[in-house]
Amino acid sequence: MQAPGVVEPDRVALVTELIVYLAVHPEGVHPTVLAGAVWPRGVTADVRDAALGRATEWLGADTSGRPRLSTDDAGRLLLSDEVRVDWRVFLALARQAQYARGPAEEESFLARALSLVGGQLLTGRDTGRYAWLATSHLESEVTARVADAAHRLATLRLGGGDPAGAMDAARAGLRLAFADELLWRDLLLAAHATGDEHLLRSVVDEACARTALDEVLPRMAPATEALIDEICPSWRASVA
């Protein structure tokens, strides 16, 4: 996360979590609700307000001179529209893709949306923070929406005769939705469409390796197995 102000390095993690929580609640959050989420074991009002003060200073003022973190008339904490949140940008681009004027424009919007996906949600977050994610639908929503966008883009590109681009789209989605079987099938279909048998074999090996890492369900979906049987019949002999 980047901001124009200054905050002490050892306070960055906490201030970042405060801002992230506000970013995923654009309707505004009352300070007591924020405190209950970020400090589930309890916090004094003084400590909470001091942290909010640091967050306000770190974000600075918008072009109109108003703080980028402010309080509305109902006492809810709000982030300015000038605070760029990749998730909000992703949603806006995905929405524009739905109303695109033709496949080329839809592809452009989806590609821009997926370019914002760099990996798992909140990768590198400090242990012990973001406990509120456990009771939030954010992680599942982000995963589902990214997977949907990647699948749609892969489908458009494969249908347009661009298997390499379709592979890129599937991989963009897999950076976050690593276990999504539909995206793995998109990747397999696109690799097959390139006509490169070595590339296809490599992707089949990737799919098998991914499945082996799954502690919950160490077996790929039947539809994925059936697809591999169709496009790479010899694969079972090498994994037996």
Side-chain angles (χ1 to χ4, degrees):
M1 178 174 171
Q2 296 179 332
V6 177
V7 66
E8 298 169 56
D10 58 351
R11 299 186 188 277
V12 169
L14 172 59
V15 174
T16 298
E17 184 178 0
L18 288 173
I19 296 170
V20 169
Y21 189 82
L22 294 173
V24 299
H25 294 85
E27 71 282 1
V29 179
H30 194 276
T32 55
V33 175
L34 175 69
V38 178
W39 291 276
R41 299 176 63 185
V43 65
T44 65
D46 288 346
V47 171
R48 177 201 67 198
D49 292 345
L52 285 169
R54 294 185 190 97
T56 302
E57 183 177 352
W58 195 29
L59 290 175
D62 61 22
T63 52
S64 67
R66 289 175 51 82
R68 290 191 173 93
L69 170 53
S70 60
T71 304
D72 67 10
D73 293 338
R76 293 171 301 192
L77 296 160
L78 295 166
L79 292 180
S80 162
D81 290 339
E82 289 189 14
V83 177
R84 175 191 161 104
V85 179
D86 283 351
W87 176 231
R88 291 187 193 173
V89 176
F90 178 94
L91 290 176
L93 289 168
R95 192 177 304 112
Q96 287 176 292
Q98 293 180 328
Y99 300 99
R101 295 168 297 182
E105 187 174 74
E106 182 182 5
E107 181 178 331
S108 175
F109 282 129
L110 290 172
R112 288 167 58 193
L114 288 167
S115 71
L116 300 171
V117 180
Q120 299 295 305
L121 179 67
L122 298 174
T123 297
R125 62 180 181 260
D126 287 6
T127 302
R129 296 207 174 278
Y130 299 89
W132 49 271
L133 280 175
T135 57
S136 166
H137 298 297
L138 180 63
E139 288 187 290
S140 58
E141 181 184 2
V142 169
T143 301
R145 287 184 178 270
V146 167
D148 286 347
H151 170 63
R152 178 57 182 162
L153 181 57
T155 300
L156 285 170
R157 287 178 171 174
L158 192 57
D162 181 14
M167 289 185 68
D168 289 343
R171 289 196 184 281
L174 289 169
R175 283 199 293 268
L176 191 147
F178 185 63
D180 191 282
E181 291 278 348
L182 182 57
L183 290 180
W184 279 104
R185 291 196 289 276
D186 288 336
L187 185 63
L188 287 160
L189 282 169
H192 177 60
T194 66
D196 186 332
E197 291 299 320
H198 293 293
L199 177 60
L200 173 59
R201 184 70 233 195
S202 175
V203 173
V204 169
D205 290 344
E206 281 187 69
C208 293
R210 194 283 304 171
T211 302
L213 293 173
D214 194 329
E215 297 179 356
V216 178
L217 188 64
R219 183 186 179 95
M220 66 180 68
T224 307
E225 284 192 359
L227 174 61
I228 298 176
D229 282 336
E230 175 64 27
I231 63 179
C232 187
S234 64
W235 77 283
R236 292 186 185 273
S238 62
V239 298

